[in-house]
Amino acid sequence: QKMSKPIGNVISPFDMVDRYGLDATRYILLRHVHPVDDSDITWEKMDEWYTANLVNGLGNLTARIMKMAETHLDGPIELKTLPPITNRLMDKFYFQLALDAIWKVVQSQDEMITETVPFKLVKEDKEAAVKIIESLVWELYGIAYGLTPFMPETSQKIIEAVKANKKPENLFKRLEE
């Protein structure tokens, strides 16, 4: 059913910002709402996207990586300026595809942690674990850099955490039932 003011099923972007925050609202609209075609969107779906992709996805990944870095690295990694990983897609206004590409990196980093288990490896082979953690931090920095045009506040929080070699406060609050 299409949204309509008389029916009363319109979702206000202001209500979305109140519920999810500005960066998360940008993410939901740019990744999950088609720019010109109809989109099937409900509060339940948005809650699911927010929780799965932001709270449990990007937020959890950032916390895990930066906690390992804070605990096991002597200091921040050396950083260089990166070109956004989504330049070609952004140039053509393919925001959904650009965010999909970033989330593939988020997923691959989660998989890398699961496969290599650096927080356990550090007890057996600290040098190898440190290299993995440094790689994870570097990729997280790349993710943050790529998110800059979509989620500038979140991107900045992650970049600051990487530069300080500290786990940030939770990036996204859990939704209350």
Side-chain angles (χ1 to χ4, degrees):
Q1 182 178 13
K2 289 192 177 192
M3 284 189 190
S4 161
K5 285 182 185 177
I7 295 173
N9 65 349
V10 174
I11 296 174
S12 162
F14 298 108
D15 292 341
M16 290 177 67
V17 170
D18 287 344
R19 182 163 179 84
Y20 306 116
L22 186 57
D23 271 11
T25 298
R26 282 187 187 117
Y27 164 80
I28 290 168
L29 293 175
L30 288 169
R31 186 167 186 209
H32 296 289
V33 178
H34 197 277
V36 292
D37 293 334
D38 290 344
S39 298
D40 186 13
I41 186 166
T42 64
W43 282 108
E44 292 78 18
K45 285 182 180 184
M46 289 188 295
D47 285 355
E48 183 181 320
W49 297 325
Y50 173 84
T51 300
N53 299 323
L54 298 178
V55 176
N56 296 337
L58 179 62
N60 187 42
L61 179 71
T62 300
R64 290 173 73 195
I65 290 173
M66 291 316 302
K67 181 62 180 165
M68 286 187 288
E70 185 178 342
T71 304
H72 302 294
L73 301 183
D74 293 332
I77 65 168
E78 183 181 336
L79 299 173
K80 304 169 202 149
T81 302
L82 295 171
I85 59 177
T86 56
N87 265 356
R88 290 177 296 113
L89 297 169
M90 291 291 291
D91 288 347
K92 295 183 180 186
F93 300 100
Y94 293 152
F95 303 131
Q96 289 173 321
L97 294 175
L99 284 164
D100 286 347
I102 292 168
W103 253 260
K104 282 183 182 167
V105 178
V106 169
Q107 184 179 14
S108 75
Q109 294 310 292
D110 260 337
E111 290 168 2
M112 183 177 198
I113 293 171
T114 300
E115 290 169 10
T116 62
V117 199
F119 51 89
K120 288 184 181 177
L121 180 62
V122 77
K123 296 171 189 162
E124 300 163 13
D125 187 350
K126 184 170 179 155
E127 189 176 321
V130 164
K131 286 184 186 210
I132 293 168
I133 295 168
E134 288 173 342
S135 173
L136 289 165
V137 172
W138 177 251
E139 288 293 333
L140 181 63
Y141 178 67
I143 289 166
Y145 203 78
L147 284 174
T148 301
F150 305 105
M151 303 173 73
E153 291 175 20
T154 302
S155 171
Q156 190 59 42
K157 287 178 187 176
I158 296 170
I159 290 169
E160 287 171 8
V162 168
K163 287 181 177 179
N165 198 45
K166 297 270 184 216
K167 177 185 169 283
E169 293 295 317
N170 289 341
L171 297 177
F172 306 98
K173 63 179 175 57
R174 295 216 174 264
L175 296 176
E176 298 176 17
E177 296 302 318

